[in-house]
Short mmCIF file of all heavy atoms in Angstrom, two decimals:
data_model
loop_
_atom_site.label_atom_id
_atom_site.label_comp_id
_atom_site.label_asym_id
_atom_site.label_seq_id
_atom_site.Cartn_x
_atom_site.Cartn_y
_atom_site.Cartn_z
N GLU A 1 23.03 8.82 32.77
CA GLU A 1 23.74 8.82 31.55
C GLU A 1 22.82 9.17 30.34
O GLU A 1 23.27 9.97 29.48
CB GLU A 1 24.47 7.53 31.28
CG GLU A 1 25.35 7.50 30.04
CD GLU A 1 26.14 6.09 29.88
OE1 GLU A 1 26.33 5.47 30.84
OE2 GLU A 1 26.60 6.00 28.75
N VAL A 2 21.72 8.55 30.34
CA VAL A 2 20.77 8.80 29.18
C VAL A 2 20.45 10.22 29.07
O VAL A 2 20.49 10.83 28.01
CB VAL A 2 19.49 7.86 29.42
CG1 VAL A 2 18.40 8.29 28.44
CG2 VAL A 2 19.67 6.50 29.23
N PHE A 3 20.11 10.87 30.20
CA PHE A 3 19.64 12.29 30.21
C PHE A 3 20.87 13.13 29.81
O PHE A 3 20.77 14.10 28.97
CB PHE A 3 19.09 12.65 31.42
CG PHE A 3 17.63 12.32 31.66
CD1 PHE A 3 17.21 11.19 32.40
CD2 PHE A 3 16.63 13.09 30.99
CE1 PHE A 3 15.97 10.86 32.45
CE2 PHE A 3 15.31 12.63 31.07
CZ PHE A 3 14.90 11.54 31.81
N ALA A 4 22.02 12.94 30.43
CA ALA A 4 23.17 13.79 30.24
C ALA A 4 23.68 13.60 28.79
O ALA A 4 24.21 14.60 28.18
CB ALA A 4 24.24 13.37 31.27
N ARG A 5 23.55 12.43 28.24
CA ARG A 5 23.94 12.25 26.79
C ARG A 5 23.13 13.16 25.85
O ARG A 5 23.58 13.47 24.77
CB ARG A 5 23.73 10.84 26.40
CG ARG A 5 24.91 9.81 26.63
CD ARG A 5 24.61 8.48 26.04
NE ARG A 5 25.67 7.51 26.35
CZ ARG A 5 26.30 6.82 25.43
NH1 ARG A 5 25.97 7.00 24.16
NH2 ARG A 5 27.24 5.95 25.86
N ASN A 6 21.91 13.41 26.27
CA ASN A 6 21.09 14.20 25.48
C ASN A 6 20.83 15.65 25.79
O ASN A 6 19.83 16.23 25.52
CB ASN A 6 19.63 13.48 25.42
CG ASN A 6 19.63 12.16 24.68
OD1 ASN A 6 19.52 12.13 23.40
ND2 ASN A 6 19.83 11.04 25.38
N GLY A 7 21.89 16.18 26.46
CA GLY A 7 21.99 17.67 26.75
C GLY A 7 21.20 18.05 27.93
O GLY A 7 20.97 19.28 28.17
N VAL A 8 20.66 17.21 28.81
CA VAL A 8 19.83 17.57 29.90
C VAL A 8 20.78 17.77 31.16
O VAL A 8 21.52 16.81 31.38
CB VAL A 8 18.68 16.56 30.22
CG1 VAL A 8 17.86 16.99 31.33
CG2 VAL A 8 17.80 16.43 28.96
N GLU A 9 20.49 18.78 31.92
CA GLU A 9 21.26 18.88 33.25
C GLU A 9 20.68 17.97 34.23
O GLU A 9 19.43 17.91 34.38
CB GLU A 9 21.15 20.33 33.69
CG GLU A 9 21.75 21.41 32.69
CD GLU A 9 23.20 21.27 32.69
OE1 GLU A 9 23.90 20.96 33.66
OE2 GLU A 9 23.76 21.43 31.57
N VAL A 10 21.48 17.18 34.95
CA VAL A 10 20.99 16.19 35.78
C VAL A 10 21.57 16.47 37.28
O VAL A 10 22.80 16.74 37.39
CB VAL A 10 21.46 14.76 35.39
CG1 VAL A 10 20.93 13.70 36.32
CG2 VAL A 10 20.99 14.55 33.95
N VAL A 11 20.73 16.31 38.23
CA VAL A 11 21.14 16.27 39.59
C VAL A 11 20.97 14.84 40.10
O VAL A 11 19.85 14.32 40.19
CB VAL A 11 20.30 17.24 40.57
CG1 VAL A 11 20.80 17.19 41.97
CG2 VAL A 11 20.26 18.72 39.99
N ALA A 12 22.10 14.16 40.45
CA ALA A 12 22.15 12.77 40.82
C ALA A 12 22.31 12.59 42.33
O ALA A 12 23.30 13.09 42.85
CB ALA A 12 23.32 12.06 40.10
N VAL A 13 21.34 12.08 42.93
CA VAL A 13 21.20 12.08 44.40
C VAL A 13 21.24 10.63 44.99
O VAL A 13 20.72 9.73 44.42
CB VAL A 13 19.83 12.73 44.77
CG1 VAL A 13 19.59 12.52 46.30
CG2 VAL A 13 19.82 14.15 44.46
N GLU A 14 21.96 10.56 46.03
CA GLU A 14 22.04 9.30 46.88
C GLU A 14 21.96 9.56 48.31
O GLU A 14 21.84 10.83 48.67
CB GLU A 14 23.40 8.51 46.57
CG GLU A 14 23.19 7.39 45.64
CD GLU A 14 22.36 6.24 46.12
OE1 GLU A 14 21.94 6.27 47.25
OE2 GLU A 14 22.15 5.23 45.41
N ILE A 15 22.01 8.63 49.22
CA ILE A 15 21.76 8.72 50.65
C ILE A 15 23.05 9.00 51.43
O ILE A 15 22.99 9.36 52.58
CB ILE A 15 21.01 7.53 51.21
CG1 ILE A 15 21.87 6.33 50.98
CG2 ILE A 15 19.66 7.42 50.58
CD1 ILE A 15 21.21 5.15 51.66
N SER A 16 24.19 8.82 50.82
CA SER A 16 25.49 8.89 51.53
C SER A 16 26.47 9.20 50.60
O SER A 16 26.43 9.05 49.33
CB SER A 16 25.77 7.63 52.27
OG SER A 16 26.10 6.65 51.37
N ASP A 17 27.71 9.83 51.14
CA ASP A 17 28.88 10.09 50.34
C ASP A 17 29.37 8.81 49.58
O ASP A 17 29.81 8.81 48.46
CB ASP A 17 29.96 10.73 51.16
CG ASP A 17 29.60 12.11 51.59
OD1 ASP A 17 28.85 12.78 50.87
OD2 ASP A 17 30.03 12.58 52.66
N GLU A 18 29.38 7.69 50.37
CA GLU A 18 29.91 6.44 49.72
C GLU A 18 28.97 5.97 48.59
O GLU A 18 29.52 5.51 47.60
CB GLU A 18 29.97 5.43 50.87
CG GLU A 18 30.32 3.92 50.36
CD GLU A 18 31.66 3.94 49.64
OE1 GLU A 18 32.47 4.77 49.87
OE2 GLU A 18 31.91 2.99 48.87
N ALA A 19 27.61 6.14 48.77
CA ALA A 19 26.75 5.75 47.68
C ALA A 19 26.98 6.71 46.50
O ALA A 19 26.91 6.16 45.32
CB ALA A 19 25.30 5.81 48.16
N VAL A 20 27.18 7.96 46.73
CA VAL A 20 27.45 8.83 45.59
C VAL A 20 28.75 8.48 44.92
O VAL A 20 28.82 8.46 43.67
CB VAL A 20 27.59 10.30 46.23
CG1 VAL A 20 28.22 11.21 45.07
CG2 VAL A 20 26.26 10.77 46.54
N ARG A 21 29.75 8.09 45.67
CA ARG A 21 31.09 7.67 45.05
C ARG A 21 30.94 6.42 44.19
O ARG A 21 31.35 6.36 43.08
CB ARG A 21 31.99 7.25 46.19
CG ARG A 21 33.41 6.90 45.63
CD ARG A 21 34.36 6.31 46.70
NE ARG A 21 33.78 4.95 47.12
CZ ARG A 21 33.88 3.90 46.36
NH1 ARG A 21 34.56 3.98 45.14
NH2 ARG A 21 33.35 2.72 46.67
N ARG A 22 30.05 5.47 44.66
CA ARG A 22 29.78 4.26 43.84
C ARG A 22 28.96 4.62 42.58
O ARG A 22 29.35 4.17 41.50
CB ARG A 22 28.98 3.31 44.68
CG ARG A 22 29.81 2.57 45.71
CD ARG A 22 29.17 1.33 46.26
NE ARG A 22 27.83 1.57 46.78
CZ ARG A 22 27.54 1.87 48.02
NH1 ARG A 22 28.53 1.91 48.91
NH2 ARG A 22 26.31 2.14 48.45
N GLY A 23 28.06 5.51 42.67
CA GLY A 23 27.30 5.94 41.57
C GLY A 23 28.13 6.69 40.52
O GLY A 23 27.97 6.50 39.28
N ARG A 24 28.93 7.55 41.01
CA ARG A 24 29.82 8.28 40.13
C ARG A 24 30.79 7.32 39.37
O ARG A 24 31.01 7.45 38.24
CB ARG A 24 30.67 9.33 40.85
CG ARG A 24 31.53 10.20 40.06
CD ARG A 24 32.59 10.97 40.78
NE ARG A 24 31.93 11.78 41.89
CZ ARG A 24 31.56 13.08 41.73
NH1 ARG A 24 31.77 13.67 40.62
NH2 ARG A 24 31.05 13.70 42.78
N ALA A 25 31.36 6.34 40.11
CA ALA A 25 32.23 5.23 39.52
C ALA A 25 31.54 4.50 38.43
O ALA A 25 32.04 4.23 37.34
CB ALA A 25 32.80 4.37 40.61
N THR A 26 30.26 4.18 38.68
CA THR A 26 29.49 3.46 37.71
C THR A 26 29.27 4.24 36.40
O THR A 26 29.41 3.73 35.31
CB THR A 26 28.07 3.03 38.29
OG1 THR A 26 28.21 2.31 39.43
CG2 THR A 26 27.20 2.36 37.25
N LEU A 27 28.94 5.55 36.63
CA LEU A 27 28.76 6.43 35.44
C LEU A 27 30.00 6.65 34.70
O LEU A 27 30.07 6.51 33.41
CB LEU A 27 28.16 7.75 35.94
CG LEU A 27 27.98 8.83 34.79
CD1 LEU A 27 27.03 8.40 33.79
CD2 LEU A 27 27.56 10.18 35.43
N THR A 28 31.08 6.94 35.40
CA THR A 28 32.36 7.16 34.58
C THR A 28 32.92 5.87 34.00
O THR A 28 33.44 5.92 32.86
CB THR A 28 33.44 7.72 35.59
OG1 THR A 28 33.61 6.84 36.73
CG2 THR A 28 33.04 9.07 36.06
N GLY A 29 32.71 4.77 34.64
CA GLY A 29 33.04 3.48 34.03
C GLY A 29 32.30 3.23 32.77
O GLY A 29 32.89 2.74 31.71
N SER A 30 30.97 3.53 32.73
CA SER A 30 30.19 3.27 31.51
C SER A 30 30.57 4.18 30.38
O SER A 30 30.71 3.78 29.24
CB SER A 30 28.74 3.48 31.88
OG SER A 30 27.90 3.36 30.72
N THR A 31 30.83 5.42 30.72
CA THR A 31 31.19 6.42 29.70
C THR A 31 32.65 6.18 29.15
O THR A 31 32.89 6.38 27.99
CB THR A 31 31.01 7.86 30.12
OG1 THR A 31 31.79 8.05 31.39
CG2 THR A 31 29.58 8.23 30.46
N ASP A 32 33.49 5.74 30.03
CA ASP A 32 34.85 5.37 29.61
C ASP A 32 34.81 4.23 28.60
O ASP A 32 35.54 4.15 27.59
CB ASP A 32 35.80 5.10 30.74
CG ASP A 32 36.14 6.37 31.58
OD1 ASP A 32 36.00 7.45 31.08
OD2 ASP A 32 36.71 6.23 32.65
N ARG A 33 34.01 3.15 28.90
CA ARG A 33 33.77 2.02 28.05
C ARG A 33 33.24 2.49 26.72
O ARG A 33 33.68 1.95 25.67
CB ARG A 33 32.96 0.95 28.68
CG ARG A 33 33.61 0.25 29.82
CD ARG A 33 32.75 -1.03 30.24
NE ARG A 33 31.49 -0.71 30.76
CZ ARG A 33 31.24 -0.40 31.94
NH1 ARG A 33 32.24 -0.41 32.86
NH2 ARG A 33 30.06 -0.12 32.40
N ALA A 34 32.26 3.43 26.77
CA ALA A 34 31.79 3.94 25.48
C ALA A 34 32.85 4.61 24.60
O ALA A 34 32.84 4.53 23.43
CB ALA A 34 30.56 4.91 25.76
N VAL A 35 33.72 5.35 25.27
CA VAL A 35 34.83 5.98 24.50
C VAL A 35 35.74 4.91 23.94
O VAL A 35 36.16 4.92 22.68
CB VAL A 35 35.59 6.92 25.43
CG1 VAL A 35 36.96 7.32 24.73
CG2 VAL A 35 34.78 8.10 25.81
N THR A 36 36.10 3.91 24.72
CA THR A 36 36.92 2.81 24.26
C THR A 36 36.34 2.09 23.02
O THR A 36 37.04 1.76 22.03
CB THR A 36 37.25 1.78 25.36
OG1 THR A 36 37.79 2.44 26.45
CG2 THR A 36 38.10 0.60 24.92
N LYS A 37 35.05 1.96 23.05
CA LYS A 37 34.41 1.25 21.93
C LYS A 37 34.00 2.20 20.75
O LYS A 37 33.43 1.66 19.73
CB LYS A 37 33.07 0.57 22.43
CG LYS A 37 33.37 -0.58 23.47
CD LYS A 37 32.04 -1.12 24.00
CE LYS A 37 32.33 -2.28 25.03
NZ LYS A 37 31.09 -2.78 25.54
N GLY A 38 34.40 3.48 20.87
CA GLY A 38 34.11 4.44 19.83
C GLY A 38 32.73 4.98 19.71
O GLY A 38 32.31 5.49 18.73
N ARG A 39 31.91 4.69 20.79
CA ARG A 39 30.60 5.19 20.80
C ARG A 39 30.39 6.65 21.34
O ARG A 39 29.40 7.30 21.18
CB ARG A 39 29.68 4.22 21.70
CG ARG A 39 29.56 2.90 21.15
CD ARG A 39 28.86 1.89 22.10
NE ARG A 39 28.85 0.55 21.58
CZ ARG A 39 28.50 -0.46 22.27
NH1 ARG A 39 28.29 -0.25 23.58
NH2 ARG A 39 28.47 -1.71 21.72
N LEU A 40 31.54 7.12 21.99
CA LEU A 40 31.58 8.51 22.44
C LEU A 40 32.98 9.00 22.18
O LEU A 40 33.93 8.23 22.28
CB LEU A 40 31.30 8.58 23.99
CG LEU A 40 29.87 8.76 24.53
CD1 LEU A 40 29.98 8.80 26.01
CD2 LEU A 40 29.18 9.92 23.98
N THR A 41 33.09 10.24 21.86
CA THR A 41 34.42 10.90 21.71
C THR A 41 34.78 11.32 23.18
O THR A 41 33.96 11.57 24.04
CB THR A 41 34.38 12.13 20.87
OG1 THR A 41 33.54 13.14 21.41
CG2 THR A 41 33.94 11.76 19.44
N PRO A 42 36.08 11.45 23.44
CA PRO A 42 36.51 11.96 24.79
C PRO A 42 35.90 13.32 25.06
O PRO A 42 35.53 13.49 26.25
CB PRO A 42 37.98 12.02 24.63
CG PRO A 42 38.38 10.97 23.64
CD PRO A 42 37.33 10.99 22.59
N ALA A 43 35.75 14.13 24.11
CA ALA A 43 35.17 15.46 24.34
C ALA A 43 33.69 15.34 24.76
O ALA A 43 33.15 16.11 25.68
CB ALA A 43 35.28 16.35 23.10
N ASP A 44 32.92 14.50 24.07
CA ASP A 44 31.54 14.21 24.31
C ASP A 44 31.31 13.61 25.77
O ASP A 44 30.40 13.95 26.51
CB ASP A 44 30.89 13.37 23.34
CG ASP A 44 30.58 14.05 21.99
OD1 ASP A 44 30.64 15.34 21.98
OD2 ASP A 44 30.45 13.43 20.97
N ARG A 45 32.30 12.73 26.10
CA ARG A 45 32.24 12.16 27.40
C ARG A 45 32.43 13.27 28.49
O ARG A 45 31.65 13.30 29.50
CB ARG A 45 33.32 11.13 27.61
CG ARG A 45 33.40 10.57 28.99
CD ARG A 45 34.78 9.92 29.26
NE ARG A 45 35.86 10.80 28.97
CZ ARG A 45 37.12 10.37 28.71
NH1 ARG A 45 37.39 9.15 28.77
NH2 ARG A 45 38.06 11.28 28.45
#
């Protein structure tokens, strides 16, 4: 999230599809909370 927030292209790697799913959920959950709190606009997210 830190890198992507600052315009850097990121390749996010895990060992399995399930681990990728959990990692994606963690990232989307964090960015959704940031939108709810007004720290990110929906477009920026």
Side-chain angles (χ1 to χ4, degrees):
E1 182 176 341
V2 169
F3 280 100
R5 272 184 184 237
N6 288 276
V8 180
E9 299 293 323
V10 183
V11 180
V13 170
E14 260 291 1
I15 60 173
S16 67
D17 289 330
E18 175 58 24
V20 166
R21 185 195 66 75
R22 289 195 302 267
R24 188 194 301 269
T26 300
L27 177 62
T28 55
S30 175
T31 53
D32 286 348
R33 287 191 297 274
V35 170
T36 300
K37 295 176 180 178
R39 295 173 183 165
L40 272 181
T41 67
D44 287 340
R45 174 199 55 198

